[in-house]
Amino acid sequence: MSGIDYRELKRGGVMRQEREDRFLVRLHLVAGTLDGAQARAVAEAAERFGSGALHLTSRQGIEIPDVPSGALVALKAFLAARGIGFGVCGPTVRGVVACQGRGVCPNGVIETLNLAGDLDRTFFGAPAPHKFKIGISGCANNCLKAEENDLGVKGWVEPRWSGEGCTGCGLCLTVCPTKAVRAGADGGPGGIERARCIGCGDCITACPSGSMVERVRGHRIFVGGKLGRAPSLGRPLAAVLTRPEEVTAAVAEALEFFRLQGKPRERFGDTLRRVGIEALEVHLGALQGKSA
Ligand code: SF4
Ligand code: SF4
Ligand code: SF4
């Protein structure tokens, strides 16, 4: 059709379909969350402006297919009146995804939903050299797959062996899924290999005498992950950030670094492979110096 700027529409979350004059509209959700009234409104919108169908995306999103160009403005207004915006596409920060985290899930180490809201309010739609995806998992179980994101956040608990009251029962060694707890001479732990630790906290929970204690609890950041044609997993930064505000600051710094160092249409992980993750660590240095 003439007169339609498809690229501009796509940037605003409206994708051209195979069928002439039909569009797939991506909605902007945060952590896949809607209240009941909004869910009903989305269903009504699909019936009024599309074919009645909805599509659930792989990133906790909803898309409304089969919307004709003439209905896009009315659809946007209908949803906006109910607190739901259109999503984004192209070289921008996408809607933040998250698991339920602490407060809902009994395994949660960190609160995730408020953090997702804060990050989304601060960064959604911000420009970047390429798409930039942020995902939050509340604990080492990693239901939200933090390492698949350009920037992932994971709840993290690391142990310290105090030695006090240790009976040498060896439970901490048995439960550790990565053999990060090294065996000592008397059956107890001889040390903890930080590089192997996945921050699950199982050794702390299992210790019957309280000898294995928390060294740090907070947010571990993973950078440079992606799926698509050439998948690669994000790599962890050194620090564990104890406060959500530090995470927001770290995301701001990482995005600034990406804008400075990234080439157009280069994913964050490819930038980091080219310039070295150490350069990002240096960029974040002042921030991480304040953390555990
Ligand atoms: S990642 Fe952890 S906190 Fe989040 S839903 Fe899974 S088990 Fe629960
Ligand atoms: S926190 Fe988990 S991975 Fe780390 S040492 Fe303890 S049991 Fe092992
Ligand atoms: S589980 Fe606790 S008491 Fe048992 S060996 Fe480990 S630190 Fe010592």
Side-chain angles (χ1 to χ4, degrees):
M1 290 183 68
S2 62
I4 293 183
D5 185 342
Y6 294 112
R7 191 173 289 191
E8 189 54 34
L9 277 180
K10 191 174 174 186
R11 268 198 283 271
V14 178
M15 271 73 69
R16 188 181 187 180
Q17 291 181 206
E18 276 192 6
R19 186 177 159 195
E20 181 74 10
D21 195 38
R22 288 295 181 276
F23 294 85
L24 179 69
V25 177
R26 177 177 297 168
L27 306 186
H28 174 209
L29 303 189
V30 182
T33 304
L34 289 171
D35 64 29
Q38 288 175 321
R40 285 190 289 278
V42 169
E44 187 183 338
E47 283 165 359
R48 281 174 65 166
F49 302 100
S51 59
L54 290 170
H55 174 242
L56 302 182
T57 75
S58 59
R59 282 184 67 81
Q60 302 184 322
I62 297 177
E63 291 168 342
I64 301 178
D66 307 323
V67 181
S69 56
L72 288 169
V73 171
L75 170 62
K76 193 166 200 166
F78 177 87
L79 290 172
R82 288 143 185 94
I84 305 164
F86 279 14
V88 291
C89 204
T92 54
V93 179
R94 305 297 172 81
V96 176
V97 296
C99 77
Q100 300 274 39
R102 200 179 70 206
V104 178
C105 177
N107 295 319
V109 169
I110 55 169
E111 194 287 326
T112 55
L113 300 180
N114 290 331
L115 178 59
D118 287 346
L119 294 179
D120 197 88
R121 265 189 299 283
T122 310
F123 302 110
F124 172 73
H130 205 323
K131 65 179 81 166
F132 193 87
K133 298 179 178 179
I134 300 172
I136 308 168
S137 274
C139 77
N141 288 342
N142 204 13
C143 299
L144 208 280
K145 310 175 188 80
E147 291 92 332
E148 286 182 3
N149 291 269
D150 295 278
L151 191 146
V153 180
K154 198 190 287 183
W156 196 273
V157 187
E158 264 187 36
R160 175 176 66 80
W161 183 58
S162 74
E164 222 169 291
C166 178
T167 60
C169 70
L171 259 178
C172 51
L173 287 104
T174 309
V175 300
C176 179
T178 62
K179 307 292 174 220
V181 185
R182 282 198 308 270
D186 56 358
I192 296 157
E193 279 185 58
R194 300 269 161 234
R196 296 178 79 105
C197 178
I198 58 166
C200 67
D202 285 0
C203 53
I204 302 166
T205 309
C207 177
S209 66
S211 309
M212 201 63 95
V213 295
E214 284 187 12
R215 186 182 81 83
V216 63
R217 167 185 286 260
H219 312 73
R220 192 89 191 253
I221 308 268
F222 294 77
V223 288
K226 62 171 181 166
L227 284 179
R229 292 183 180 191
S232 60
L233 291 180
R235 290 177 286 166
L237 296 178
V240 178
L241 306 174
T242 51
R243 293 181 297 119
E245 308 87 82
E246 292 176 296
V247 178
T248 307
V251 176
E253 295 290 329
L255 263 172
E256 182 187 89
F257 178 89
F258 189 26
R259 288 188 197 114
L260 287 171
Q261 300 288 347
K263 296 177 178 174
R265 297 205 51 75
E266 181 179 61
R267 286 295 288 270
F268 192 34
D270 296 323
T271 303
L272 293 174
R273 264 182 288 284
R274 185 167 53 74
V275 303
I277 194 170
E278 301 76 18
L280 176 63
E281 293 271 17
V282 169
H283 187 83
L284 294 167
L287 184 82
Q288 299 205 9
K290 295 179 203 147
S291 304

